[in-house]
Protein backbone atom coordinates (compact mmCIF):
# COMPACT_ATOMS: atom_id res chain seq x y z
CA UNK A 1 0.00 0.00 0.00
CA UNK A 2 1.45 3.34 -1.03
CA UNK A 3 1.74 5.85 1.81
CA UNK A 4 2.49 9.46 0.94
CA UNK A 5 4.39 11.60 3.38
CA UNK A 6 2.28 14.58 4.42
CA UNK A 7 4.89 17.33 4.12
CA UNK A 8 2.64 19.98 5.65
CA UNK A 9 2.31 17.83 8.79
CA UNK A 10 6.05 17.11 8.73
CA UNK A 11 6.84 20.83 8.72
CA UNK A 12 4.70 21.27 11.86
CA UNK A 13 6.05 18.18 13.64
CA UNK A 14 7.74 20.15 16.39
CA UNK A 15 5.18 22.94 16.58
CA UNK A 16 3.62 23.39 20.03
CA UNK A 17 1.46 26.40 19.16
CA UNK A 18 -1.77 26.40 21.16
CA UNK A 19 -0.58 23.70 23.56
CA UNK A 20 -0.66 24.20 27.31
CA UNK A 21 2.33 22.78 29.15
CA UNK A 22 2.97 22.39 32.88
CA UNK A 23 6.58 22.24 34.06
CA UNK A 24 6.97 21.27 37.73
CA UNK A 25 10.09 22.47 39.53
CA UNK A 26 9.92 25.42 37.14
CA UNK A 27 12.23 27.62 39.21
CA UNK A 28 15.08 25.11 39.04
CA UNK A 29 17.81 25.16 36.42
CA UNK A 30 16.38 22.42 34.22
CA UNK A 31 12.76 23.46 34.82
CA UNK A 32 13.42 26.99 33.60
CA UNK A 33 15.33 25.77 30.53
CA UNK A 34 12.59 23.33 29.53
CA UNK A 35 9.83 25.89 30.15
CA UNK A 36 11.59 28.38 27.89
CA UNK A 37 12.28 25.66 25.33
CA UNK A 38 8.63 24.63 25.09
CA UNK A 39 7.55 28.28 24.95
CA UNK A 40 10.05 28.91 22.13
CA UNK A 41 8.21 26.28 20.07
CA UNK A 42 4.82 27.90 20.74
CA UNK A 43 3.46 26.45 24.00
CA UNK A 44 1.85 28.45 26.76
CA UNK A 45 3.59 27.35 29.93
CA UNK A 46 2.61 27.01 33.58
CA UNK A 47 5.55 26.71 35.94
CA UNK A 48 4.98 25.23 39.38
CA UNK A 49 6.98 25.04 42.58
CA UNK A 50 6.58 25.46 46.30
CA UNK A 51 7.31 29.21 46.28
CA UNK A 52 5.59 31.36 43.67
CA UNK A 53 8.07 34.21 44.10
CA UNK A 54 10.94 32.12 42.74
CA UNK A 55 8.85 31.30 39.65
CA UNK A 56 8.09 34.91 38.72
CA UNK A 57 11.33 35.58 36.78
CA UNK A 58 10.62 32.48 34.66
CA UNK A 59 7.06 33.68 33.97
CA UNK A 60 8.45 37.03 32.81
CA UNK A 61 10.87 35.31 30.43
CA UNK A 62 8.12 33.11 28.95
CA UNK A 63 5.90 36.15 28.46
CA UNK A 64 8.87 37.86 26.82
CA UNK A 65 8.69 35.15 24.16
CA UNK A 66 5.09 36.17 23.46
CA UNK A 67 3.52 33.16 25.17
CA UNK A 68 1.04 33.04 28.03
CA UNK A 69 2.57 32.01 31.34
CA UNK A 70 1.47 31.42 34.90
CA UNK A 71 3.17 30.53 38.18
CA UNK A 72 1.22 28.20 40.45
CA UNK A 73 2.28 27.11 43.91
CA UNK A 74 2.42 23.32 44.24
CA UNK A 75 4.17 20.90 46.55
CA UNK A 76 4.44 17.84 44.32
CA UNK A 77 4.47 15.47 47.30
CA UNK A 78 1.03 16.59 48.55
CA UNK A 79 -1.95 15.25 46.63
CA UNK A 80 -4.33 18.09 47.58
CA UNK A 81 -1.73 20.61 46.39
CA UNK A 82 -1.28 18.77 43.06
CA UNK A 83 -5.04 18.51 42.53
CA UNK A 84 -5.51 22.21 43.28
CA UNK A 85 -2.71 23.11 40.85
CA UNK A 86 -4.32 21.18 37.97
CA UNK A 87 -7.69 22.78 38.78
CA UNK A 88 -6.14 26.26 38.66
CA UNK A 89 -4.51 25.51 35.30
CA UNK A 90 -7.71 24.12 33.77
CA UNK A 91 -9.70 27.11 35.12
CA UNK A 92 -7.23 29.58 33.59
CA UNK A 93 -6.26 27.82 30.34
CA UNK A 94 -9.18 25.49 29.69
CA UNK A 95 -7.00 22.38 29.41
CA UNK A 96 -3.55 20.83 29.74
CA UNK A 97 -1.68 19.10 26.90
CA UNK A 98 1.84 18.49 28.20
CA UNK A 99 3.24 17.68 31.65
CA UNK A 100 6.97 17.76 32.41
CA UNK A 101 7.82 16.55 35.93
CA UNK A 102 11.10 18.26 36.74
CA UNK A 103 10.67 18.77 40.52
CA UNK A 104 13.14 16.61 42.38
CA UNK A 105 15.97 16.49 44.88
CA UNK A 106 19.21 14.63 45.58
CA UNK A 107 20.95 13.51 48.77
CA UNK A 108 24.03 11.32 48.88
CA UNK A 109 25.41 9.20 51.71
CA UNK A 110 27.08 5.80 52.11
CA UNK A 111 24.26 3.24 52.05
CA UNK A 112 25.21 1.82 55.45
CA UNK A 113 24.87 5.26 57.07
CA UNK A 114 22.03 6.70 54.99
CA UNK A 115 19.66 8.56 57.35
CA UNK A 116 16.29 7.02 56.67
CA UNK A 117 14.51 10.39 56.80
CA UNK A 118 16.81 11.70 54.05
CA UNK A 119 16.24 8.52 52.04
CA UNK A 120 12.48 8.96 52.39
CA UNK A 121 12.65 12.67 51.47
CA UNK A 122 14.35 11.78 48.18
CA UNK A 123 11.83 9.04 47.42
CA UNK A 124 8.95 11.39 48.26
CA UNK A 125 10.16 14.28 46.11
CA UNK A 126 11.24 12.15 43.15
CA UNK A 127 8.88 9.17 43.07
CA UNK A 128 5.76 10.19 45.01
CA UNK A 129 5.85 13.71 43.55
CA UNK A 130 6.27 12.45 39.98
CA UNK A 131 3.53 9.86 40.42
CA UNK A 132 1.03 12.35 41.88
CA UNK A 133 1.56 14.83 39.04
CA UNK A 134 1.26 12.07 36.43
CA UNK A 135 -1.85 10.66 38.14
CA UNK A 136 -3.74 13.95 37.98
CA UNK A 137 -2.54 14.77 34.46
CA UNK A 138 -3.66 11.28 33.48
CA UNK A 139 -7.23 12.00 34.59
CA UNK A 140 -7.37 15.03 32.28
CA UNK A 141 -5.57 13.33 29.39
CA UNK A 142 -7.81 10.24 29.65
CA UNK A 143 -10.90 12.43 29.16
CA UNK A 144 -9.46 14.20 26.11
CA UNK A 145 -7.80 11.02 24.76
CA UNK A 146 -4.52 12.86 24.23
CA UNK A 147 -1.57 14.02 26.26
CA UNK A 148 2.19 14.04 26.55
CA UNK A 149 4.00 13.29 29.79
CA UNK A 150 7.75 13.71 30.15
CA UNK A 151 9.32 12.50 33.38
CA UNK A 152 12.87 13.33 34.43
CA UNK A 153 15.10 10.39 35.20
CA UNK A 154 18.91 10.35 35.36
CA UNK A 155 21.90 8.29 34.24
CA UNK A 156 21.92 7.17 37.89
CA UNK A 157 18.88 5.01 36.99
CA UNK A 158 20.97 3.01 34.52
CA UNK A 159 23.51 1.41 36.85
CA UNK A 160 24.88 1.61 40.37
CA UNK A 161 27.52 4.19 41.26
CA UNK A 162 30.01 4.21 44.15
CA UNK A 163 29.12 7.79 45.08
CA UNK A 164 26.32 7.21 47.62
CA UNK A 165 23.24 7.04 45.40
CA UNK A 166 21.17 4.49 47.40
CA UNK A 167 18.26 6.94 47.46
CA UNK A 168 18.66 9.08 44.34
CA UNK A 169 19.62 6.28 41.94
CA UNK A 170 16.84 4.05 43.27
CA UNK A 171 14.29 6.86 42.95
CA UNK A 172 15.29 7.43 39.32
CA UNK A 173 15.13 3.69 38.63
CA UNK A 174 11.56 3.86 39.93
CA UNK A 175 10.84 6.75 37.58
CA UNK A 176 12.01 4.67 34.62
CA UNK A 177 9.61 1.88 35.52
CA UNK A 178 6.80 4.30 36.37
CA UNK A 179 7.27 5.78 32.89
CA UNK A 180 6.99 2.34 31.26
CA UNK A 181 4.07 1.36 33.51
CA UNK A 182 2.03 4.48 32.75
CA UNK A 183 2.84 4.27 29.04
CA UNK A 184 1.41 0.75 28.85
CA UNK A 185 -1.64 1.55 31.00
CA UNK A 186 -2.48 4.75 29.17
CA UNK A 187 -1.59 3.91 25.56
CA UNK A 188 -5.28 3.18 24.99
CA UNK A 189 -6.02 6.82 25.84
CA UNK A 190 -3.35 8.06 23.39
CA UNK A 191 -1.21 9.37 26.23
CA UNK A 192 2.54 9.25 25.50
CA UNK A 193 4.73 8.83 28.58
CA UNK A 194 8.50 9.08 28.13
CA UNK A 195 11.49 10.00 30.27
CA UNK A 196 14.52 12.18 29.69
CA UNK A 197 17.55 10.86 31.58
CA UNK A 198 20.28 13.50 31.88
CA UNK A 199 23.89 13.04 32.84
CA UNK A 200 25.38 15.58 35.20
CA UNK A 201 24.96 19.30 34.61
CA UNK A 202 25.94 22.09 36.96
CA UNK A 203 23.09 23.32 39.15
CA UNK A 204 22.64 23.77 42.90
CA UNK A 205 21.70 20.06 42.93
CA UNK A 206 25.20 19.06 41.76
CA UNK A 207 27.31 21.82 43.31
CA UNK A 208 28.85 19.38 45.79
CA UNK A 209 30.26 17.30 42.90
CA UNK A 210 31.67 20.39 41.23
CA UNK A 211 33.26 21.37 44.56
CA UNK A 212 34.89 17.96 45.09
CA UNK A 213 37.96 17.52 42.84
CA UNK A 214 38.05 13.73 43.19
CA UNK A 215 34.35 13.26 42.42
CA UNK A 216 34.55 15.75 39.57
CA UNK A 217 37.32 13.67 37.96
CA UNK A 218 35.28 10.45 38.28
CA UNK A 219 32.19 12.05 36.76
CA UNK A 220 34.04 13.59 33.82
CA UNK A 221 35.90 10.35 33.07
CA UNK A 222 32.54 8.65 32.49
CA UNK A 223 31.25 11.04 29.79
CA UNK A 224 32.59 10.07 26.32
CA UNK A 225 31.69 13.46 24.80
CA UNK A 226 34.07 14.91 27.38
CA UNK A 227 31.98 17.52 29.13
CA UNK A 228 29.08 17.92 31.50
CA UNK A 229 25.73 18.76 29.93
CA UNK A 230 24.35 22.29 29.82
CA UNK A 231 20.63 22.82 30.32
CA UNK A 232 20.18 23.72 26.64
CA UNK A 233 21.23 20.15 25.76
CA UNK A 234 17.88 18.88 27.06
CA UNK A 235 15.55 21.21 25.19
CA UNK A 236 15.61 19.27 21.91
CA UNK A 237 14.63 16.06 23.69
CA UNK A 238 11.80 17.81 25.54
CA UNK A 239 10.40 19.49 22.43
CA UNK A 240 10.56 16.18 20.56
CA UNK A 241 8.77 14.25 23.32
CA UNK A 242 6.14 17.00 23.75
CA UNK A 243 5.37 17.35 20.05
CA UNK A 244 3.62 15.33 17.29
CA UNK A 245 7.09 14.19 16.13
CA UNK A 246 6.99 11.57 18.93
CA UNK A 247 3.37 10.43 18.55
CA UNK A 248 4.47 6.79 18.00
CA UNK A 249 7.03 6.84 20.82
CA UNK A 250 6.00 5.85 24.33
CA UNK A 251 7.53 4.16 27.37
CA UNK A 252 11.06 5.21 26.38
CA UNK A 253 13.91 6.56 28.45
CA UNK A 254 15.91 8.98 26.34
CA UNK A 255 19.43 9.28 27.78
CA UNK A 256 20.82 12.73 27.04
CA UNK A 257 24.15 11.90 28.57
CA UNK A 258 27.10 12.56 26.26
CA UNK A 259 27.37 8.80 25.69
CA UNK A 260 27.71 7.87 29.39
CA UNK A 261 25.44 4.85 29.13
CA UNK A 262 26.66 3.69 25.70
CA UNK A 263 29.43 1.43 26.89
N1 LIG B 1 21.59 18.56 37.84
C1 LIG B 1 21.92 17.35 37.34
O1 LIG B 1 23.07 17.04 37.07
C2 LIG B 1 20.84 16.34 37.09
C3 LIG B 1 21.20 15.15 36.45
C4 LIG B 1 20.22 14.20 36.19
C5 LIG B 1 18.91 14.46 36.55
N2 LIG B 1 18.58 15.63 37.16
C6 LIG B 1 17.19 15.84 37.53
O2 LIG B 1 16.69 17.00 36.93
C7 LIG B 1 15.66 17.55 37.76
C8 LIG B 1 15.95 19.03 38.02
O3 LIG B 1 17.21 19.14 38.58
P1 LIG B 1 17.97 20.53 38.70
O4 LIG B 1 19.41 20.21 38.62
O5 LIG B 1 17.37 21.55 37.81
O6 LIG B 1 17.70 20.84 40.23
P2 LIG B 1 17.20 22.15 40.95
O7 LIG B 1 17.44 21.89 42.40
O8 LIG B 1 17.76 23.37 40.31
O9 LIG B 1 15.64 22.09 40.65
C9 LIG B 1 14.77 21.20 41.26
C10 LIG B 1 13.52 21.97 41.62
O10 LIG B 1 12.56 21.07 42.17
C11 LIG B 1 11.94 21.74 43.24
N3 LIG B 1 11.34 20.78 44.15
C12 LIG B 1 11.95 19.86 44.95
N4 LIG B 1 11.04 19.21 45.67
C13 LIG B 1 9.82 19.72 45.34
C14 LIG B 1 8.49 19.47 45.75
N5 LIG B 1 8.20 18.55 46.70
N6 LIG B 1 7.47 20.15 45.18
C15 LIG B 1 7.74 21.09 44.24
N7 LIG B 1 8.98 21.40 43.81
C16 LIG B 1 10.01 20.72 44.37
C17 LIG B 1 13.06 22.54 43.89
O11 LIG B 1 12.56 23.56 44.72
C18 LIG B 1 13.78 23.06 42.67
O12 LIG B 1 13.22 24.28 42.22
C19 LIG B 1 15.62 16.71 39.02
O13 LIG B 1 14.61 15.74 38.92
C20 LIG B 1 16.97 16.04 39.01
O14 LIG B 1 16.97 14.81 39.70
C21 LIG B 1 19.52 16.58 37.44
Amino acid sequence: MEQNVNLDAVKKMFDLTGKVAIVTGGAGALGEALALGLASYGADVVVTGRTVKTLEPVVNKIQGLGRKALAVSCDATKEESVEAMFKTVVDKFGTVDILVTVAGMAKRAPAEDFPIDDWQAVMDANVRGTFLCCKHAGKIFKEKKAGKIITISSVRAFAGHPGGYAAYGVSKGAINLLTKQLSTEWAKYHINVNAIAPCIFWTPLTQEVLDNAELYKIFMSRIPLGRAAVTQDFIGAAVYLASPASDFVTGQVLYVDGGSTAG
Side-chain angles (χ1 to χ4, degrees):
M1 190 174 69
E2 194 187 342
Q3 296 190 15
N4 292 323
V5 176
N6 179 342
L7 290 177
D8 285 336
V10 168
K11 280 185 205 149
K12 292 183 190 150
M13 255 183 183
F14 297 97
D15 186 13
L16 301 177
T17 304
K19 302 292 182 192
V20 177
I22 296 175
V23 178
T24 74
L30 183 60
E32 173 173 336
L34 296 190
L36 292 173
L38 297 178
S40 298
Y41 280 78
D44 296 324
V45 184
V46 178
V47 281
T48 77
R50 287 166 296 188
T51 319
V52 167
K53 206 158 180 40
T54 60
L55 297 162
E56 280 162 6
V58 187
V59 164
N60 290 338
K61 288 182 194 172
I62 297 166
Q63 288 169 340
L65 293 169
R67 310 311 320 162
K68 289 187 203 140
L70 182 69
V72 182
S73 167
C74 177
D75 182 338
T77 65
K78 297 198 165 72
E79 186 155 24
E80 62 278 12
S81 178
V82 172
E83 265 188 293
M85 180 272 285
F86 276 100
K87 186 174 179 317
T88 303
V89 176
V90 172
D91 286 350
K92 296 253 184 203
F93 289 90
T95 192
V96 183
D97 302 290
I98 298 156
L99 169 70
V100 193
T101 60
V102 186
M105 67 181 288
K107 283 182 187 289
R108 289 187 315 109
E112 67 277 17
D113 295 324
F114 216 114
I116 194 60
D117 290 346
D118 285 358
W119 190 91
Q120 190 63 54
V122 173
M123 298 304 276
D124 284 349
N126 296 359
V127 187
R128 181 184 164 103
T130 298
F131 174 67
L132 284 173
C133 293
C134 291
K135 174 183 167 181
H136 289 280
K139 282 178 195 278
I140 296 168
F141 294 167
K142 177 181 172 181
E143 284 302 307
K144 60 193 280 182
K145 294 239 176 329
K148 300 271 190 179
I149 295 176
I150 303 168
T151 59
I152 301 298
S153 177
S154 164
V155 288
R156 297 282 79 79
F158 183 76
H161 188 285
Y165 287 95
Y168 185 78
V170 172
S171 76
K172 295 298 184 179
I175 285 178
N176 283 7
L177 196 56
L178 178 66
T179 302
K180 291 170 198 275
Q181 175 62 31
L182 297 180
S183 71
T184 52
E185 269 193 59
W186 291 346
K188 60 180 178 284
Y189 307 130
H190 304 285
I191 302 171
N192 300 70
V193 190
N194 293 289
I196 295 173
C199 67
I200 198 156
F201 55 100
W202 306 128
T203 72
L205 193 107
T206 49
Q207 186 65 37
E208 58 153 350
V209 177
L210 192 57
D211 291 344
N212 179 324
E214 198 187 333
L215 261 184
Y216 178 84
K217 217 169 132 194
I218 294 173
F219 272 82
M220 286 306 107
S221 71
R222 290 177 169 220
I223 305 175
L225 282 180
R227 65 168 173 87
V230 294
T231 49
Q232 191 164 322
D233 290 323
F234 304 108
I235 291 176
V239 171
Y240 169 63
L241 292 176
S243 69
S246 62
D247 278 353
F248 200 55
V249 176
T250 198
Q252 301 304 306
V253 179
L254 178 48
Y255 285 92
V256 184
D257 66 355
S260 307
T261 52

